[in-house]
Amino acid sequence: EVISVKPVDAEKKRTLSPYVTGNSVLAIKYKGGVLMACDMLGAYGSTKRYKNVQRVFKVNETTIVGASGEISDFQYISNLLEELTTQDFCYDDGCTLTPKEIHAYLCRVLYNRRNKMDPLWNSLVVAGVDPLRGESFIGSVGMLGTSYTDSHVATSFGNYLSRPLFREFQRDDMSLEEAVSLMQEALRVLFYRDKTSINKYILAKVEKEEGVAISK
């Protein structure tokens, strides 16, 4: 009797632990828009391996998504979002996906993968402005599909180091200049206290009139 053995490549593979990871993503509301920030480090374990990693993704003219966790899984999520926006564009109905809808979609994607025992190792932050109502939106999605919305959101160590600052100083009616100053202070604290953090970061904002702007 001949016993056939499947080649190794034919076996299902799962991410058992993340390899190249990004750390904290921060987001706050200000008057007329939302501001998001994260550093550009892709850490290989505790090694600061890649120092030019883009972890903020522009979904459309009203929404951005930032990610901490496994970089390759975030690239997969970015591809899903590109397919979603392409489909939305092909409908040509004059409507675009809102930040709230994209947040709900990502909640379902991550929860679905969690149920398959093959989670995407990311914590995501969705931020944007509703194109019709002009309302700012910030929401977070964990790797198990858990989610919440607030006026300020942080992932990873930012939950412990940055959110206390946000709770004390963030206001929904603060100016852009005040929001940038607060965000820079939060990033400074992270750089001092978090070993997998560097002093090179991205700032991104979304406003109803000006749309999405991401720093270089």
Side-chain angles (χ1 to χ4, degrees):
E1 185 179 348
V2 178
I3 300 175
S4 61
V5 179
K6 289 183 180 179
V8 174
D9 291 339
E11 298 297 329
K12 280 191 175 181
K13 296 179 180 179
R14 285 169 165 73
T15 305
L16 300 178
S17 60
Y19 284 88
V20 180
T21 59
N23 217 328
S24 305
V25 179
L26 317 175
I28 57 176
K29 290 182 183 179
Y30 64 91
K31 188 176 181 180
V34 293
L35 186 68
M36 184 184 289
C38 63
D39 66 23
M40 300 186 74
L41 178 67
Y44 183 76
S46 59
T47 304
K48 296 180 178 180
R49 180 66 181 84
Y50 306 103
K51 298 180 180 178
N52 198 32
V53 178
Q54 173 72 272
R55 293 194 287 124
V56 176
F57 178 75
K58 176 183 174 181
V59 181
N60 54 32
E61 292 302 323
T62 62
T63 310
I64 53 178
V65 174
S68 58
E70 174 61 50
I71 300 299
S72 63
D73 282 349
F74 180 53
Q75 290 171 338
Y76 170 76
I77 291 170
S78 299
N79 291 336
L80 289 182
L81 290 171
E82 281 185 351
E83 291 174 10
L84 188 70
T85 51
T86 299
Q87 184 183 46
D88 187 43
F89 175 79
C90 291
Y91 288 150
D92 195 22
D93 56 2
C95 299
T96 56
L97 291 165
T98 65
K100 196 170 184 179
E101 290 168 343
I102 290 165
H103 179 254
Y105 170 77
L106 290 172
C107 288
R108 297 303 93 212
V109 168
L110 269 68
Y111 185 63
N112 177 54
R113 288 291 294 262
R114 175 258 188 193
N115 286 341
K116 292 180 177 179
M117 303 300 172
D118 185 16
L120 295 166
W121 288 70
N122 293 109
S123 292
L124 305 175
V125 176
V126 182
V129 177
D130 189 295
L132 298 178
R133 301 178 182 177
E135 296 174 354
S136 299
F137 176 89
I138 296 177
S140 174
V141 189
M143 66 176 284
L144 302 181
T146 53
S147 64
Y148 68 95
T149 63
D150 205 345
S151 291
H152 50 79
V153 159
T155 66
S156 191
F157 267 104
N159 258 325
Y160 310 99
L161 301 176
S162 300
R163 291 204 79 190
L165 282 172
F166 294 161
R167 289 189 187 104
E168 185 171 354
F169 298 111
Q170 186 272 339
R171 307 184 319 276
D172 285 0
D173 63 346
M174 68 196 306
S175 67
L176 174 60
E177 291 73 22
E178 289 174 318
V180 170
S181 177
L182 175 59
M183 191 66 82
Q184 288 174 335
E185 180 62 27
L187 288 165
R188 187 177 297 112
V189 171
L190 281 174
F191 177 61
Y192 289 154
R193 298 293 181 183
D194 184 0
K195 71 172 185 177
T196 53
S197 180
I198 58 173
N199 59 348
K200 183 180 180 183
Y201 59 85
I202 295 170
L203 280 176
K205 68 172 184 175
V206 186
E207 295 180 352
K208 183 179 179 182
E209 301 299 329
E210 296 184 18
V212 174
I214 301 176
S215 64
K216 300 295 184 183

